[in-house]
Amino acid sequence: MRATGVDKPRAVRASAVRARATRGGATRARAAAQGIEQEVKIDAAPTTLLREGSGEEGDATQMRARFEKMIRAAQNEICDAITALDGKPFHEDAWTRPGGGGGISRVLQDGNVFEKAGVNVSVVYGQMPPEAYRAATGEEGASKEMIPFFAAGISSVMHPHNPMAPTVHFNYRYFETDAPKGSAGAPRAWWFGGGTDLTPSYIFDEDVTHFHQTLKDICDKHDGEFYPKFKQWADDYFMIKHRGERRGVGGVFFDDMNDRSKDELLAFATDMAGGVVPAYVPLVAKHKDDEFTPEQRAWQQMRRGRYVEFNLVYDRGTTFGLKTGGRIESILMSLPRYCEWQYDHAPEAGSREADALDAFKNPRTWCA
Amino acid sequence: MRATGVDKPRAVRASAVRARATRGGATRARAAAQGIEQEVKIDAAPTTLLREGSGEEGDATQMRARFEKMIRAAQNEICDAITALDGKPFHEDAWTRPGGGGGISRVLQDGNVFEKAGVNVSVVYGQMPPEAYRAATGEEGASKEMIPFFAAGISSVMHPHNPMAPTVHFNYRYFETDAPKGSAGAPRAWWFGGGTDLTPSYIFDEDVTHFHQTLKDICDKHDGEFYPKFKQWADDYFMIKHRGERRGVGGVFFDDMNDRSKDELLAFATDMAGGVVPAYVPLVAKHKDDEFTPEQRAWQQMRRGRYVEFNLVYDRGTTFGLKTGGRIESILMSLPRYCEWQYDHAPEAGSREADALDAFKNPRTWCA
């Protein structure tokens, strides 16, 4: 299977769902959002969010279970590090779905250092339209049966109070689709994706370099081509297209990765998730008590408005989640606690705000 | 032409553009946003935003010119009324496009009564993909030529400071598409659309009734079936589908109207635009100095976050504008000055906030 081909199901599906939602009223839109069952809140996170028994058969590498174990360990590690910095614990919500799967959201809101920090893990058993599967695989066929898919991932956004301390986002995910009914034995499609990116309001060169260098060192351990390729991909992906500017200074982003063994890709995703704390936490520790002016706070709030524009209009995970009936409060956990819009704002030439905007419009080289 | 058919071009086009934008990087997305030329700022609003000469030929009813005249008069009248209430004038920006068309944005920001109020008029000469035209008309053909379209409209959102004073939105528009190349003489498609809707944070029954009754009285002058039909349409349209709640208490909404003469529809749109001041301004005058608590302000700010969710994810005008390269600051003028998100917020049972949320989830009958 071509790596670029596997991206199509999501693009095709999202646009098909959107077209239906645009033409129809609320009822039709809710009917279209049938890919994921309604979640059921549970009192405490279970040992595993995976289905028991036969649902996991045919997974010779046990990748579903290994990936879930990895993202749950990462969730613990990152929440512990953020709580140590903030002094306030995360609130946890857990849920399951009748047909299997579920999630654990952890949110720290109105903390001492963070306005809003969330770290989610989720496991989803959903349904994909067959034309999406065919577009991905190039297979012929006229089946109208929905194709089951499996997705597991960790995703997180953390917004500190201080305008000198940057926002971070990361997401690592593993995706599988079943073979369509009637073509038993056809190989499953699978891929890994993810990324970690930084959104400062003000640029401190040494901080951005530290962030990128930490990610690059991890990439280089796995493949020397990863960092340059994934840095470029992040610069392309985190683009607020209608403004011609990125939401921040990027980092790494990759998707549709299946050009090497699952073991190798799991090892890479594990190391990348493990890189979040060393890449990010020192930057917040350094700036959490910096002095700032009301004007600097307003600039941060406007940049958070841009973050909202990116997430609601372009972010794949968010737009996919909103259309398919995922747990809304977990999906929109990424939105900032506060933000603002000023009509036609433009930073003064030569200001620090202008420098930041320039970095968002013209991506820079942060490490060699 | 079927009235329901004419809606399809926009749905089809938006989803096609989105699919391309989702798969491609920033460059491809910008290339896709070719429907509208880059605007050029001008010093003062011109007498007309229409093309001179032949561009307006074949418009026997002179509807383009008459509609522009109507929306520009409405812009003046409404801005005058808002300035009289607020005490602060609107800032005006005007622009044209090389191939014709342009717009006038008026914004009042950080006023005495309004946090942000904007009233835009615009005239657009754009291009629509031929498959969108064919989907609308049912015509056969394999032409790959883009179909020219014309759109003129007024749109406005006004967000007061006081949480007891509601937000209003209205938009009235006239739309034409040319016949495709090679089928000269085919009739042009045209339609009218629009609406006026109210978004309070707190429900005052008599206020909402006044608002709806004012709109209903205008509708009834034109057709007794308009208000019930368009009230329902607003309840369906202003839905934040992923939350199962509307952004406010609705009003009227209609689209694809071409089931009677252009003269009749212009008269209706004119009266509806003229209804904005009497329907809305008294509500703000009444509540602009109401006392409120920090908790009530926070609830208002959260509802403004919901407004952002609706506008960026569902609003046809906004999503169409962002994808086709319209003037961003005018399109996003509708976003509030400030807003916030709280994780998993739910109003206390029996509270005024719970009452408002109930009205957003379960539309009420405001006038008989």
Side-chain angles (χ1 to χ4, degrees):
Chain A
M1 165 165 300
R2 292 159 299 124
T4 50
V6 233
D7 182 27
K8 282 183 191 159
R10 278 157 297 161
V12 171
R13 183 193 195 173
S15 69
V17 171
R18 182 175 304 269
R20 269 178 290 165
T22 306
R23 281 198 293 271
T27 312
R28 246 182 300 166
R30 277 195 299 272
Q34 62 191 351
I36 302 179
E37 296 175 308
Q38 180 64 38
E39 74 274 2
V40 179
K41 192 171 163 58
I42 52 176
D43 288 339
T47 312
T48 176
L49 297 161
L50 298 176
R51 283 177 185 159
E52 285 180 49
S54 65
E56 309 309 323
E57 273 175 24
D59 180 17
T61 60
Q62 295 193 297
M63 190 49 65
R64 297 180 178 199
R66 289 162 68 197
F67 198 84
E68 189 205 5
K69 197 174 159 193
M70 185 277 277
I71 58 182
R72 293 191 57 178
Q75 186 185 37
N76 288 336
E77 182 213 334
I78 290 157
C79 289
D80 286 351
I82 296 298
T83 289
L85 182 63
D86 191 278
K88 185 171 172 174
F90 281 75
H91 166 86
E92 180 174 291
D93 285 316
W95 67 95
T96 55
R97 294 198 164 84
I104 304 160
S105 272
R106 291 199 192 145
V107 179
L108 191 170
Q109 185 170 273
D110 303 329
N112 298 302
V113 174
F114 289 91
E115 278 187 3
K116 203 170 162 199
V119 188
N120 288 336
V121 298
S122 68
V123 168
V124 175
Y125 296 86
Q127 299 285 330
M128 172 184 291
E131 58 271 25
Y133 182 87
R134 287 194 286 268
T137 59
E139 264 185 42
E140 301 293 319
S143 164
K144 298 223 183 289
E145 305 263 352
M146 297 281 274
I147 313 290
F149 75 85
F150 168 91
I154 183 168
S155 69
S156 170
V157 175
M158 305 197 258
H159 298 288
H161 290 292
N162 197 296
M164 304 302 155
T167 287
V168 77
H169 156 262
F170 68 91
N171 164 238
Y172 291 91
R173 56 194 178 273
Y174 172 65
F175 208 100
E176 284 181 18
T177 63
D178 280 6
K181 242 178 184 169
S183 66
R188 284 182 174 175
W190 57 266
W191 61 91
F192 290 77
T196 303
D197 75 295
L198 194 72
T199 302
S201 301
Y202 290 94
I203 308 286
F204 297 90
D205 284 348
E206 66 280 16
D207 291 356
V208 185
T209 295
H210 166 83
F211 182 83
H212 273 265
Q213 187 69 54
T214 306
L215 302 182
K216 180 176 186 297
D217 290 347
I218 297 168
C219 287
D220 286 351
K221 269 179 50 191
H222 293 267
D223 189 327
E225 291 182 6
F226 276 179
Y227 176 77
K229 185 176 167 191
F230 298 160
K231 192 266 189 194
Q232 180 65 50
W233 206 334
D235 286 339
D236 290 344
Y237 177 75
F238 293 107
M239 183 69 158
I240 306 166
K241 297 182 183 74
H242 56 266
R243 297 204 182 261
E245 66 189 47
R246 287 148 199 86
R247 70 179 187 187
V249 294
V252 296
F253 183 85
F254 62 96
D255 205 353
D256 314 317
M257 284 273 287
N258 60 2
D259 64 345
R260 57 202 75 198
S261 75
K262 287 183 180 176
D263 284 350
E264 287 173 277
L265 291 169
L266 173 64
F268 176 56
T270 305
D271 285 353
M272 289 302 296
V276 171
V277 169
Y280 176 64
V281 171
L283 310 188
V284 182
K286 182 176 160 188
H287 292 289
K288 70 186 171 64
D289 300 317
D290 281 5
E291 295 198 357
F292 60 88
T293 67
E295 291 72 26
Q296 289 171 331
R297 171 74 176 166
W299 170 250
Q300 176 208 44
Q301 295 289 288
M302 276 188 284
R303 295 310 309 173
R304 296 216 163 137
R306 301 295 187 269
Y307 210 85
V308 171
E309 291 180 27
F310 178 82
N311 279 30
L312 291 181
V313 179
Y314 300 107
D315 184 72
R316 287 181 189 179
T318 304
T319 56
F320 183 79
L322 294 184
K323 300 295 170 190
T324 49
R327 183 176 183 264
I328 294 306
E329 287 296 332
S330 298
I331 295 165
L332 296 184
M333 185 199 69
S334 62
L335 299 181
R337 182 76 178 82
Y338 305 99
C339 70
E340 58 176 89
W341 279 268
Q342 268 186 41
Y343 174 74
D344 211 16
H345 181 274
E348 212 174 310
S351 65
R352 292 179 66 189
E353 291 80 8
D355 174 57
L357 191 56
D358 175 74
F360 305 149
K361 285 178 187 277
N362 305 294
R364 298 176 185 170
T365 299
W366 297 106
C367 50
Chain B
M1 166 167 297
R2 291 158 300 127
T4 50
V6 230
D7 182 30
K8 283 183 191 159
R10 280 157 297 161
V12 170
R13 184 193 195 176
S15 69
V17 172
R18 184 177 302 272
R20 270 178 288 164
T22 308
R23 281 198 294 272
T27 312
R28 245 182 301 167
R30 278 194 300 272
Q34 62 193 352
I36 302 180
E37 295 175 308
Q38 179 66 37
E39 75 275 2
V40 180
K41 191 171 165 57
I42 52 177
D43 288 339
T47 311
T48 176
L49 297 162
L50 297 175
R51 282 179 185 158
E52 285 180 48
S54 65
E56 307 312 322
E57 272 174 25
D59 181 16
T61 60
Q62 296 193 296
M63 189 48 65
R64 296 180 179 198
R66 290 162 68 197
F67 197 85
E68 190 206 4
K69 198 176 159 192
M70 184 278 277
I71 58 181
R72 292 191 57 179
Q75 186 185 37
N76 288 336
E77 182 214 332
I78 291 156
C79 289
D80 287 350
I82 295 298
T83 288
L85 182 64
D86 191 279
K88 185 172 173 175
F90 280 76
H91 166 85
E92 179 175 291
D93 286 315
W95 67 95
T96 55
R97 295 199 165 83
I104 304 161
S105 273
R106 291 200 192 143
V107 179
L108 192 170
Q109 185 170 275
D110 302 330
N112 298 302
V113 175
F114 288 90
E115 278 186 4
K116 204 171 162 198
V119 188
N120 288 335
V121 298
S122 69
V123 168
V124 175
Y125 297 87
Q127 300 283 331
M128 173 183 291
E131 58 271 23
Y133 182 88
R134 286 194 286 269
T137 60
E139 265 186 41
E140 301 291 320
S143 163
K144 298 224 185 288
E145 305 264 351
M146 297 281 272
I147 313 290
F149 74 86
F150 168 91
I154 184 168
S155 69
S156 170
V157 175
M158 305 197 258
H159 298 288
H161 291 292
N162 196 297
M164 303 301 155
T167 287
V168 77
H169 156 262
F170 68 91
N171 165 238
Y172 291 92
R173 56 193 177 273
Y174 171 65
F175 207 101
E176 286 181 15
T177 62
D178 280 5
K181 242 179 185 167
S183 66
R188 283 182 176 176
W190 59 266
W191 62 91
F192 289 77
T196 303
D197 75 294
L198 194 72
T199 303
S201 301
Y202 290 94
I203 308 287
F204 297 91
D205 285 347
E206 66 281 16
D207 291 356
V208 185
T209 295
H210 166 83
F211 182 83
H212 272 265
Q213 188 68 52
T214 306
L215 302 182
K216 179 176 185 300
D217 290 346
I218 297 168
C219 286
D220 286 351
K221 270 177 51 190
H222 294 268
D223 190 326
E225 291 182 7
F226 276 0
Y227 176 77
K229 184 175 167 192
F230 299 160
K231 193 266 191 195
Q232 180 65 50
W233 206 334
D235 286 340
D236 290 344
Y237 177 75
F238 293 108
M239 184 69 158
I240 306 166
K241 296 182 183 76
H242 56 266
R243 296 204 183 260
E245 66 190 45
R246 287 147 199 86
R247 70 180 186 187
V249 294
V252 296
F253 183 85
F254 62 96
D255 206 354
D256 315 317
M257 284 274 285
N258 60 1
D259 64 346
R260 57 203 77 199
S261 76
K262 286 183 182 177
D263 283 350
E264 288 173 275
L265 291 169
L266 174 64
F268 176 57
T270 305
D271 286 353
M272 289 302 297
V276 171
V277 169
Y280 175 64
V281 170
L283 310 188
V284 182
K286 182 175 161 190
H287 292 290
K288 68 187 173 64
D289 301 317
D290 282 4
E291 294 197 357
F292 60 88
T293 66
E295 291 72 26
Q296 289 170 333
R297 171 75 177 165
W299 170 250
Q300 176 208 44
Q301 295 288 289
M302 274 188 285
R303 295 312 307 173
R304 296 220 161 133
R306 300 295 187 271
Y307 211 85
V308 171
E309 290 179 27
F310 179 82
N311 280 29
L312 292 180
V313 179
Y314 301 107
D315 185 72
R316 286 182 191 181
T318 304
T319 55
F320 183 79
L322 294 183
K323 300 294 171 190
T324 50
R327 183 175 182 265
I328 293 307
E329 287 296 331
S330 298
I331 296 165
L332 296 184
M333 185 199 68
S334 63
L335 299 180
R337 182 77 176 81
Y338 305 99
C339 70
E340 56 177 271
W341 279 269
Q342 267 185 44
Y343 174 74
D344 210 16
H345 180 272
E348 214 175 308
S351 65
R352 292 179 66 191
E353 292 80 8
D355 175 56
L357 190 55
D358 175 73
F360 306 148
K361 285 177 187 281
N362 306 295
R364 297 174 186 172
T365 300
W366 298 106
C367 49

